């Protein structure tokens, strides 16, 4: 009997914490969701949380260009993330926010809101609590996961891709939106996210960088699965 228990304990994959960071359109969400589903891990889209708090600010008459006003209001909304990779959810004060957080208005304001240190402190705490509660491990994707939120992650991946490839992917998603305009908007948002003072978009020194420009999504998924399985085997 004890042999069976020991065998089960030995063969169950170790819980791993995986951080996937990178600029917009590099494939973080699609890769993270697929990898988490394949390996039975939880999944957290941290960009959705920053979008959710931005949406709440806009809905509640907060001037998002006023950092002090954003800081003062940052503790007010209740934000909850569902971490099933096959059906991730995001609610604000109990209301489903998954649709409205993807509007152009939110996309164009999210960098300003997420640059406010009080917003980052609050959302970071939420992220750490969720990661700590993920019994089978979790894939957390964002901009500062490997550097700031989970610096002790078992695996850190930093995805990149050319601006042209990223814009083509995004404009495909936005049903034929102008590629040049999408490219400019992406570059502007990346510059804002990379230059803010508090936990900017950056590659952690110990992250594995994967340039996805010439890779299919399937190839990126396989690459990250292999990296995770390597970490699980070594645990
Ligand atoms: N390697 C890839 N090749 C082609 N298209 C991709 C690749 N990775 C992701 N995509 C597509 O690009 C779009 C943006 O991907 P997404 O995962 O949302 O990026 P991010 O989360 O980094 O912003 C999606 O439509 C996705 O299907
Ligand atoms: N860990 C994170 C995740 C996102 N953000 C901010 C900066 C990003 O421009 C926005 C939106 O992130 P999201 O991942 O949804 O962006 P895209 O999917 O690339 O459009 O949130 C952040 O500051 N830190």
């Amino acid at each position: 009997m004890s042999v069976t228990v020991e065998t089960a304990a030995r063969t169950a994959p170790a819980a791993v914490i995986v951080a996937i960071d990178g600029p917009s359109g590099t494939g973080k969400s699609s890769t993270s969701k697929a990898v988490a589903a394949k390996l039975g891990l939880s999944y957290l889209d941290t960009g959705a949380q920053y979008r959710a708090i931005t949406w709440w600010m806009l809905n509640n008459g907060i001037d998002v260009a006023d950092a002090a006003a954003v800081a003062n209001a940052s503790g007010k909304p209740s934000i909850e993330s569902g971490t099933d990779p096959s059906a991730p959810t995001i609610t604000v004060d109990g209301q489903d926010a998954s649709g409205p957080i993807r509007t152009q208005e939110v996309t164009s304001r999210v960098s300003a809101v997420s640059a406010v240190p009080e917003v980052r402190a609050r959302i970071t705490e939420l992220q750490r609590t969720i990661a700590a509660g993920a019994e089978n491990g979790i894939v957390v994707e964002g901009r500062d996961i490997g550097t700031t939120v989970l610096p002790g992650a078992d695996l850190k991946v930093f995805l990149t891709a050319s601006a042209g490839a990223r814009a083509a992917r995004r404009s495909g998603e936005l049903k034929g939106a102008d590629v040049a305009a999408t490219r400019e908007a992406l570059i502007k948002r990346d510059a804002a996210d990379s230059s803010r003072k508090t936990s900017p978009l950056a590659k952690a020194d110990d992250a594995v960088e994967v340039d996805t420009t010439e890779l299919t999504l399937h190839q990126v998924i396989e690459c990250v699965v292999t990296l995770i399985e390597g970490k699980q085997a070594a645990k």
Side-chain angles (χ1 to χ4, degrees):
M1 190 64 183
S2 69
V3 172
T4 313
V5 171
E6 277 171 25
T7 307
R10 232 184 291 130
T11 52
V16 281
I17 303 272
V18 181
I20 302 198
D21 291 298
S24 183
T26 51
K28 298 182 301 298
S29 294
S30 358
T31 304
S32 302
K33 260 186 278 189
V35 160
K38 195 162 183 172
L39 298 177
L41 309 178
S42 296
Y43 159 71
L44 179 62
D45 176 355
T46 64
Q49 296 176 312
Y50 286 103
R51 287 172 174 275
I53 199 163
T54 302
W55 178 62
W56 182 90
M57 299 272 168
L58 293 169
N59 275 350
N60 284 273
I62 312 293
D63 175 3
V64 297
D66 179 348
V70 170
N72 278 337
S74 61
K76 292 186 180 168
S78 159
I79 295 170
E80 285 187 33
S81 300
T83 57
D84 175 351
S86 59
T89 58
I90 180 96
T91 63
V92 180
D93 294 335
Q95 196 184 343
D96 176 17
S98 53
I101 62 167
R102 305 286 164 197
T103 60
Q104 198 47 48
E105 192 189 10
V106 171
T107 301
S108 65
R109 307 299 183 96
V110 64
S111 292
V113 173
S114 57
V116 175
E118 289 80 359
V119 169
R120 299 207 72 78
R122 173 158 189 235
I123 301 288
T124 297
E125 192 188 331
L126 213 59
Q127 292 160 355
R128 287 181 177 149
T129 303
I130 293 169
E135 285 178 9
N136 297 329
I138 189 164
V139 182
V140 184
E141 54 120 337
R143 302 291 189 286
D144 63 337
I145 310 307
T147 55
T148 305
V149 178
L150 301 167
D154 297 293
L155 173 69
K156 300 177 187 178
V157 177
F158 194 80
L159 298 182
T160 62
S162 70
R166 298 190 290 118
R169 291 173 188 172
R170 274 277 175 254
S171 52
E173 261 182 343
L174 302 172
K175 307 218 166 31
D178 180 63
V179 180
T182 306
R183 189 176 186 277
E184 289 319 302
L186 279 185
I187 290 172
K188 196 174 156 199
R189 186 147 59 94
D190 289 346
D193 294 341
S194 305
S195 63
R196 66 174 175 238
K197 284 209 179 83
T198 311
S199 57
L201 160 64
K203 176 185 169 296
D205 291 339
D206 52 350
V208 179
E209 185 166 336
V210 180
D211 182 344
T212 71
T213 309
E214 303 292 339
L215 300 178
T216 64
L217 177 55
H218 180 75
Q219 287 173 319
V220 181
I221 293 165
E222 287 305 307
C223 169
V224 175
V225 164
T226 304
L227 289 169
I228 296 175
E229 285 174 341
K231 292 291 177 183
Q232 284 176 322
K235 267 198 133 186

